[in-house]
Amino acid sequence: MPDPLTIADDLRNTFRGRLAFDAVRRGLYATDASPFEVAPLGVAFPEDAEDLAVLVKYCHEHALPVVPRGAGTGVAGESLGPGIVVDLSAEFRGILRIDSDTATVEPGVVLAELNAALAKVGRRFAPDPASGASCTVGGMVATNASGGNAVRHGYTRDHVRGLGVVWDDGSRDTLRNPSPNPSPKGGGGPAQPNLPTPVPRETSASQLVGSSPPFPLREGGPGGLGGSGLRTASIAAATAALLRANRELVHLTRPLTPFNRCGYLLHDVLTDAGPDLPRLLCGSEGTLAFLTEVTVATVPLAGGTCLALLGFPTLEAAVNAAADLPPFEPTTADLLDRRLLSLSGRGTDAVPAAVGAALLVAFEADTAREATERAWGAVEALKERHKLVVLAEPACDPDGVARIRAVREAAVSGLYGIGRGPRPAAFVEDVGVPPAAVAEFLAGTQDVMKRYELSASFLVHALAGQVHTRPLIDLADPADRAKLWPVAEAVHALALGLGGTVSTQHGTGIARTPWVERQYGPLLPVFRELKRVFDPKNVLNPGKIIGPDPSRPAWPLRGEDRGQRTEDRGPEDRAPLLVWKDTTAEAEAGKCTGCGDCRPRGGAGRMCPAFTAAGLEEASPRAMANLVRGLADLGSDDARPVVSACVNCKMCRDECPSRVDVPRLMIEAKARRHAEHGLDRVSWVLARADRLAALASRLAPLSNAVLGNRPARWVIEKLIGLSRRRRLPALAHQTFLRAARGERRLPAAADAPKVAYFADTFANVFDPSVGAAAVAVLRHNGVTVVVPPRQVGSGAAPFAQGDLETARELAVRNVRALADYARDGYRIVCSEPTAAMTLSQDYLLLLDDADAAAVAAATTELTTYLGGLHAAGRLRTDFRPLDLALGHHVPCHLKALRGPVAGPGLLGLIPGITVKPIDVGCSGMAGPWGLAAANYDASLRAGRRMIEAFDRPGLLLGATECGSCRLQMQEGTGKRAFHPVQYLAHAYGLLPELGKRLRSPLGELVSD
Ligand SMILES: Cc1cc2nc3c(=O)[nH]c(=O)nc-3n(C[C@H](O)[C@H](O)[C@H](O)COP(=O)(O)OP(=O)(O)OC[C@H]3O[C@@H](n4cnc5c(N)ncnc54)[C@H](O)[C@@H]3O)c2cc1C
Ligand code: SF4
Ligand code: SF4
């Protein structure tokens, strides 16, 4: 195998994409969503199919393993390998064509993105893996992905119509199905009614493989060749011969399950017109070819969807009831066991505590009426025949559907979120048995768990006989690790004994390759021969399906492969720089399962603006967690792009199913880097944005004139990196705090609520009318308000840069200024959500003392506080009407406070105002981050969804609590945006000057 230097040198003039051989990138691609770890030699990012072909050809010539990778959400370790891992999720992202009933995309397009585009024309790509927000279409084809709706819509292979491929030798072609798909759905196709007759294991490979004459070649013939590649022709001919010779064996070795994902699926590949190569490649896990283009059939959006939640006293009762569902043609029937239910927050009105297992059944039809009829029919029938503990009526309205769906989501994410110690591990999670044998399999598996003193959760797709078992295992505990293999042996043996399969949905990969021979016996030599036909040098994703890589353990568990990278690691065991009372950075990072939920595309969730802007694995929260897991030196240059990508929005912390506190990890990492290297120029400026603004405000209006001058802005950009394109807020000479200093402190009325107002930089220096409005509105509502005079900027900016020294200094000053108020029963109310988050959460990571804890406990965000007054009936509603249509954006840091979002409701109290809530993600500003010239474009990209939502013609003005987000709303649309409290104050008649600002256009470079 050539070494990295030689490879880089050899490919210098032919390969246009990026190659990375550093320890950091190798670490980031050494894991996926499985429990395995294999460090690749390097990572490649080809620019297009031609570029990929150059790389594959080189690997072929040098016998260098080459492994395709999409989003890395595979749970079987399919995309892990020792050679060059090729990341196709970065560049291959084009939706090339949407026709009336097909769509053609590049393989890196994410399912949710494709479906968002298809929804515009009333269609969708039907397979619905639970990872659809982040998994790629290429990965779906390569793993033959499916979801809960497989019973109705089948697997990916049932929908693939054509593929662009790069073969092992670098030649390229386009393949199409030779004829309409032989079976309408089924991934593995429906199983035979009877158990197959076992074929003697001693049958020799040559007997099995046979040697039929090559398939006759003709235009558009074997494999439905769209191109004229000789390589394709010879592959098609040899495949046809192999399948013909082993037709009987293929038939006999099929499991008795409706679905099967283990090994190569051969039973329906040979058609009268030749082998259906696209169908064969579905599920081949990158071991037979690279996919460069995918054409899929699309289906209409469902006309109606209903869900029903059915509760049963026991798991067995639920399994029995599921058997009566098929006549009502449900799309899915998920069975949640007691453990999953307990994690869904049952005891609430959704699932009473007496329920021991629940069926969550979906009905999807062309019309709403049809779906409703089926759902009611099923519920009535089950009510009659089975003892139900609780019966939720079928929900067909969007709210009801969302409520039931939330039970499943809460259960699954609660399972991932289990804290330290034993956690659900995916290593026997994909077993399938004939649906009639589910009860027997569950009972047997529970016995296995008892034998190994483990508990497990079960999520069963009852109609398909798929049982997702996740034993709770502490992978850090050697005793628990030792149980993995014997438990897998026992559970898989149980499934195979019932005519089942070791994989129904998640694929073979590293996880199940050791059991392929056990499942298929004499068919394994046929698989090997097939692999030899496609990839005689075994360079394409070796070690999968036809046998494990003999040079490493069959199961290379996480952490065991690190030896080879220790030479790249830097000094460890440094004292932590943040307060880590409850855990350590390394343990926190270890909670990451690699699921890839933090790489969403196409509209789901709010995380992660850094990934959204860059579109690269290295900017994902997963990469950040991987970095800290001890994979590489945090101080190295190669670690810098990963560490600096995080903007501390905190969205991943709350949306990650494992609740990994990635922003905390990244602050620690940034601080460690800066302790070693110091701050770079841009970080230094961003960390001091508050102080620089306060300084410049003293020189206003001169400083405003300078900031509004184009040549001066050019010079400023060159000197300190502040973007010359960004419209900046005007600086106030009379800051809010300076004006408030002259105020007399009035004694609090006995029963009046007491507030100490914390302004932070935006309300203090840029728009003091926010502070004035906050104080006026609070006092108008009978609140006693003080403005603590010694308060300074919150320190959010230096904290986000990892400049802990500056952040800590500011924290100490603010805690001194505020602690006595907190102890005297004042709420510390912040108009800036970032300040509220910093005071209530981040100070506790900087200061381990009682005063900081008192301040944290007393801190509230302003609109949340006003919303509380309203809920208590204490908010005055003597508003005068304002005829305005507003778009209200929910800032990330308001979400991070985990309280209710009160702003839109408060604004809605003003007569005449209409409010359109915009809750689609980060604005892309991330405090002062978006001010930097280097971040300007990325910032607008990261905020694109919010900007598009606000840019609708009906919305004339914006509202949001966050000062930085207001800048971005204005920058992206040219429309003005204000704090909700400014509108409230104006409507109370307390801020008349706002009327003029509402109507005046924004300044070009500087605006009030
Ligand atoms: C929380 C969670 C839920 C999941 N739920 C489901 C589910 O409901 N149903 C289901 O089927 N799966 C599920 N999965 C598994 C996984 O998401 C799917 O297998 C998915 O299709 C993988 O897509 P990916 O882009 O992440 O591919 P990767 O994981 O990156 O790769 C998977 C395989 O595809 C190959 N590959 C990727 N791109 C190409 C290409 N362009 N050319 C050739 N080969 C390629 C890789 O080599 C690898 O063998 C789940 C995973 C997670 C973490
Ligand atoms: S950080 Fe969370 S969401 Fe991202 S891969 Fe890890 S566990 Fe999944
Ligand atoms: S805190 Fe925000 S920017 Fe940082 S990794 Fe999490 S989601 Fe991404």
Side-chain angles (χ1 to χ4, degrees):
M1 209 193 278
D3 61 68
L5 271 181
T6 313
I7 299 169
D9 213 36
D10 289 350
L11 287 168
R12 178 155 300 134
N13 296 322
T14 49
F15 182 66
R16 285 173 280 119
R18 212 156 42 97
L19 284 170
F21 295 99
D22 59 277
V24 170
R25 297 309 175 299
R26 288 168 60 213
L28 302 189
Y29 288 84
T31 53
D32 57 2
S34 73
F36 307 116
E37 178 171 345
V38 181
L41 182 69
V43 187
F45 305 85
E47 290 196 346
D48 51 32
E50 193 185 314
D51 209 23
L52 171 65
V54 168
L55 178 72
V56 175
K57 183 167 186 284
Y58 177 85
C59 292
H60 183 255
E61 283 166 4
H62 294 81
L64 185 59
V66 57
V67 182
R69 174 156 166 143
T73 67
V75 280
E78 308 96 300
S79 67
L80 308 180
I84 306 286
V85 168
V86 184
D87 184 342
L88 295 152
S89 72
E91 301 294 342
F92 289 72
R93 302 219 24 248
I95 296 182
L96 304 176
R97 221 170 28 253
I98 292 188
D99 296 323
S100 59
D101 58 357
T102 60
T104 301
V105 299
E106 290 185 311
V109 169
V110 164
L111 174 62
E113 277 179 301
L114 171 59
N115 276 338
L118 285 168
K120 292 181 188 153
V121 294
R123 301 193 68 85
R124 69 191 150 135
F125 178 39
D128 65 337
S131 52
S134 45
C135 73
T136 64
V137 175
M140 285 180 70
V141 175
T143 58
N144 188 22
S146 65
N149 72 14
V151 172
R152 181 171 159 91
H153 290 292
Y155 278 34
T156 297
R157 74 200 300 259
D158 301 311
H159 304 264
V160 168
R161 296 290 173 265
L163 295 174
V165 294
V166 172
W167 298 124
D168 64 326
D169 62 354
S171 58
R172 292 171 54 196
D173 212 336
T174 306
L175 313 172
R176 282 190 289 277
N177 307 112
S179 61
N181 277 350
S183 84
K185 63 189 175 192
Q192 320 86 312
N194 300 311
L195 272 171
T197 316
V199 175
R201 287 199 170 237
E202 56 278 12
T203 314
S204 79
S206 58
Q207 272 173 287
L208 294 165
V209 169
S211 59
S212 297
F215 207 89
L217 291 176
R218 60 184 152 76
E219 187 62 37
L225 298 185
S228 57
L230 281 178
R231 179 93 182 104
T232 310
S234 83
I235 285 175
T239 302
L242 184 68
L243 293 180
R244 253 195 255 107
N246 294 285
R247 205 190 294 256
E248 180 81 348
L249 184 62
V250 168
H251 176 69
L252 290 173
T253 49
R254 287 181 61 204
L256 295 177
T257 51
F259 300 102
N260 174 31
R261 265 290 299 111
C262 183
Y264 298 119
L265 300 182
L266 306 179
H267 61 281
D268 55 2
V269 169
L270 192 58
T271 74
D272 292 343
D276 189 335
L277 293 184
R279 203 167 174 80
L280 173 60
L281 291 179
C282 291
S284 64
E285 300 185 1
T287 62
L288 302 182
F290 269 82
L291 312 174
T292 54
E293 197 176 295
V294 179
T295 299
V296 292
T298 60
V299 299
L301 289 171
T305 302
C306 294
L307 290 185
L309 185 67
L310 307 163
F312 300 85
T314 60
L315 193 60
E316 292 70 28
V319 172
N320 290 338
D324 287 340
L325 284 169
F328 302 96
E329 298 178 57
T331 329
T332 63
D334 290 345
L335 202 160
L336 279 63
D337 74 346
R338 193 178 286 276
R339 179 177 298 279
L340 284 177
L341 284 172
S342 71
L343 294 165
S344 71
R346 74 198 195 135
T348 62
D349 48 356
V351 190
V355 174
L359 272 175
L360 204 153
V361 194
F363 301 86
E364 184 190 289
D366 295 341
T367 63
R369 189 174 159 184
E370 207 186 321
T372 310
E373 280 172 6
R374 280 201 226 145
W376 276 102
V379 166
E380 291 302 326
L382 263 64
K383 222 195 262 185
E384 230 176 84
R385 284 177 229 160
H386 297 274
K387 191 173 170 235
L388 305 181
V389 170
V390 64
L391 179 67
E393 310 280 312
C396 300
D397 60 302
D399 283 352
V401 166
R403 212 174 38 249
I404 297 185
R405 225 169 240 150
V407 173
R408 186 187 191 278
E409 278 160 19
V412 175
S413 87
L415 187 61
Y416 280 107
I418 292 172
R420 274 176 281 171
R423 311 187 62 231
F427 64 102
V428 285
E429 88 298 349
D430 201 25
V431 164
V433 292
V438 166
E440 192 180 343
F441 175 74
L442 283 173
T445 305
Q446 277 162 335
D447 286 345
V448 174
M449 296 303 145
K450 269 190 217 134
R451 210 179 323 140
Y452 287 93
E453 295 174 348
L454 293 171
S455 50
S457 73
F458 298 98
L459 172 65
V460 184
H461 297 309
L463 304 174
Q466 296 168 341
V467 183
H468 297 305
T469 308
R470 291 198 182 230
L472 274 78
I473 292 262
D474 186 350
L475 285 171
D477 177 352
D480 263 15
R481 279 165 93 99
K483 294 177 186 171
L484 292 175
W485 189 271
V487 167
E489 282 278 352
V491 172
H492 289 156
L494 193 61
L496 294 179
L498 293 167
T501 170
V502 297
S503 172
T504 44
Q505 197 175 59
H506 293 163
T508 310
I510 292 174
R512 285 166 277 270
T513 289
W515 281 273
V516 173
E517 184 167 17
R518 194 89 54 85
Q519 176 159 334
Y520 286 104
L523 196 65
L524 185 67
V526 179
F527 286 170
R528 291 202 171 127
E529 179 57 19
L530 186 81
K531 171 77 172 169
R532 201 194 57 72
V533 166
F534 280 78
D535 177 25
K537 289 193 176 177
N538 194 21
V539 289
L540 299 176
N541 202 4
K544 319 283 154 55
I545 300 180
I546 58 163
D549 180 347
S551 68
R552 61 183 67 244
W555 270 9
L557 292 172
R558 279 189 187 198
E560 288 176 0
D561 186 48
R562 300 250 177 93
Q564 47 177 294
R565 276 170 292 143
T566 45
E567 79 277 9
D568 302 311
R569 272 193 251 161
E572 287 176 37
D573 300 329
R574 294 193 196 95
L577 300 174
L578 288 173
V579 176
W580 287 92
K581 271 199 293 198
D582 46 347
T583 181
T584 64
E586 287 71 18
E588 186 64 22
K591 279 163 51 186
C592 172
T593 58
C595 70
D597 277 13
C598 49
R599 298 180 34 123
R601 288 187 183 281
R606 292 180 69 103
M607 61 177 173
C608 155
F611 176 73
T612 305
L616 297 173
E617 174 69 23
E618 65 190 37
S620 70
R622 175 170 70 182
M624 297 169 194
N626 269 332
L627 191 74
V628 179
R629 249 176 350 107
L631 297 179
D633 176 10
L634 293 176
S636 73
D637 279 351
D638 297 321
R640 196 170 59 84
V642 183
V643 175
S644 63
C646 177
V647 295
N648 196 37
C649 76
K650 295 211 176 9
M651 286 303 93
C652 59
R653 182 195 64 181
D654 293 339
E655 288 195 359
C656 159
S658 301
R659 305 283 181 275
V660 184
D661 194 344
V662 173
R664 186 178 181 186
L665 293 176
M666 284 305 95
I667 299 295
E668 178 72 37
K670 283 177 189 172
R672 287 192 200 178
R673 280 186 62 79
H674 295 151
E676 234 174 90
H677 302 287
L679 289 167
D680 62 41
R681 188 170 51 107
V682 173
S683 304
W684 188 92
V685 171
L686 293 181
R688 279 152 188 78
D690 297 355
R691 286 180 180 182
L692 294 172
L695 213 67
S697 81
R698 292 185 178 271
L699 303 174
L702 177 65
S703 37
N704 288 331
V706 171
L707 291 174
N709 177 285
R710 283 192 190 283
R713 285 290 289 272
W714 186 86
V715 174
I716 292 171
E717 180 174 310
K718 293 291 159 218
L719 285 177
I720 61 169
L722 181 69
S723 169
R724 66 178 189 273
R725 290 187 279 167
R726 169 81 59 189
R727 183 187 288 120
L728 298 174
L731 295 149
H733 181 64
Q734 173 75 322
T735 64
F736 171 78
L737 289 176
R738 241 175 268 150
R741 220 159 272 156
E743 268 206 349
R744 220 161 31 89
R745 189 172 165 179
L746 299 170
D751 62 339
K754 297 182 293 185
V755 159
Y757 173 63
F758 186 82
D760 209 4
T761 301
F762 212 94
N764 182 34
V765 173
F766 293 117
D767 193 354
S769 82
V770 174
V775 173
V777 166
L778 288 165
R779 287 185 178 152
H780 186 69
N781 283 287
V783 178
T784 300
V785 185
V786 294
V787 180
R790 285 181 296 135
Q791 61 177 286
V792 290
S794 67
F799 185 77
Q801 295 303 320
D803 178 1
L804 298 193
E805 209 177 309
T806 309
R808 203 166 267 133
E809 182 197 320
L810 295 171
V812 168
R813 290 175 65 183
N814 279 325
V815 166
R816 264 192 222 133
L818 299 170
D820 285 347
Y821 290 102
R823 293 221 165 81
D824 285 353
Y826 282 76
R827 295 302 300 166
I828 297 164
V829 171
C830 310
S831 49
E832 200 60 47
T834 302
M837 185 193 73
T838 308
L839 266 61
S840 64
Q841 299 178 6
D842 295 341
Y843 280 7
L844 299 179
L845 305 179
L846 290 167
L847 307 171
D848 184 12
D849 67 46
D851 281 356
V855 168
T859 298
T860 313
E861 184 274 332
L862 174 63
T863 55
T864 312
Y865 183 81
L866 293 173
L869 286 185
H870 180 54
R874 298 188 68 153
L875 192 82
R876 288 170 61 171
T877 52
D878 52 337
F879 298 110
R880 61 194 175 91
L882 296 179
D883 186 15
L884 301 173
L886 304 180
H888 175 273
H889 159 68
V890 182
C892 295
H893 288 168
L894 189 60
K895 285 254 172 189
L897 290 166
R898 298 169 179 150
V901 175
L906 291 169
L907 290 167
L909 297 173
I910 302 173
I913 275 198
T914 52
V915 186
K916 162 98 183 101
I918 301 172
D919 189 3
V920 290
C922 180
S923 73
M925 270 306 275
W929 181 83
L931 297 177
N935 303 334
Y936 181 79
D937 291 325
S939 149
L940 288 174
R941 266 201 310 280
R944 187 179 55 83
R945 283 166 59 216
M946 184 279 286
I947 291 168
E948 281 174 4
F950 179 41
D951 208 19
R952 295 207 189 113
L955 301 176
L956 298 179
L957 288 163
T960 188
E961 292 76 1
C962 167
S964 304
C965 295
R966 289 198 289 280
L967 293 186
Q968 186 80 323
M969 291 173 91
Q970 300 186 156
E971 185 75 14
T973 64
K975 300 177 193 177
R976 279 190 174 272
F978 296 96
H979 194 293
V981 81
Q982 290 174 292
Y983 291 108
L984 293 176
H986 189 49
Y988 279 133
L990 303 170
L991 197 65
E993 64 272 26
L994 191 73
K996 196 168 142 228
R997 284 175 75 191
L998 291 177
R999 286 185 301 276
S1000 63
L1002 289 165
E1004 232 181 290
L1005 287 179
V1006 180
S1007 192
D1008 66 341

